[in-house]
């Protein structure tokens, strides 16, 4: 079976019971995997309804939070290949 080349999901802020916030912006996201020689490039795309929504999540620290999660993923993957 071949691995998927992409997947899509919606991302929304919610409260503890799962009710989606009407005040905070959500996004539609697509992640694609591209073969580059013997490596794989992962491309993340997030679409927001407005430019203001993008500004809001950036001001909330989205870039820093996402970047820190990618660093954690790098470390996790490195541990799996070294073992």
């Amino acid at each position: 079976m071949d691995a998927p080349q992409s997947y899509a999901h919606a991302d929304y802020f919610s409260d503890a019971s799962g009710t989606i916030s009407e005040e905070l912006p959500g996004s539609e996201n697509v992640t694609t995997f591209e073969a580059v020689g013997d490596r794989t490039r992962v491309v993340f795309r997030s679409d927001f309804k407005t430019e203001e929504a993008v500004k809001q999540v950036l001001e909330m620290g989205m870039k820093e939070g996402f970047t820190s999660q990618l660093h954690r993923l790098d470390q996790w993957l490195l541990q799996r290949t070294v073992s």
Side-chain angles (χ1 to χ4, degrees):
M1 182 161 105
D2 292 332
Q5 295 179 347
S6 67
Y7 70 92
H9 70 279
D11 188 24
Y12 297 96
F13 292 91
S14 66
D15 62 19
S17 65
T19 303
I20 294 175
S21 172
E22 297 292 328
E23 298 167 8
L24 297 171
S27 62
E28 299 293 328
N29 306 283
V30 177
T31 302
T32 58
F33 304 94
E34 303 171 357
V36 180
D38 64 346
R39 304 179 95 176
T40 302
R41 175 183 294 132
V42 182
V43 178
F44 301 98
R45 178 184 170 120
S46 295
D47 291 319
F48 292 85
K49 289 184 179 180
T50 65
E51 186 175 336
E52 291 77 25
V54 174
K55 289 179 182 177
Q56 184 178 5
V57 295
L58 288 173
E59 289 172 0
M60 294 170 63
M62 181 186 87
K63 180 179 177 184
E64 296 80 6
F66 192 74
T67 300
S68 73
Q69 294 307 307
L70 291 176
H71 288 296
R72 291 181 66 193
L73 176 60
D74 283 344
Q75 292 302 311
W76 185 84
L77 291 170
L78 183 61
Q79 291 173 352
R80 298 303 176 268
T81 49
V82 172
S83 300

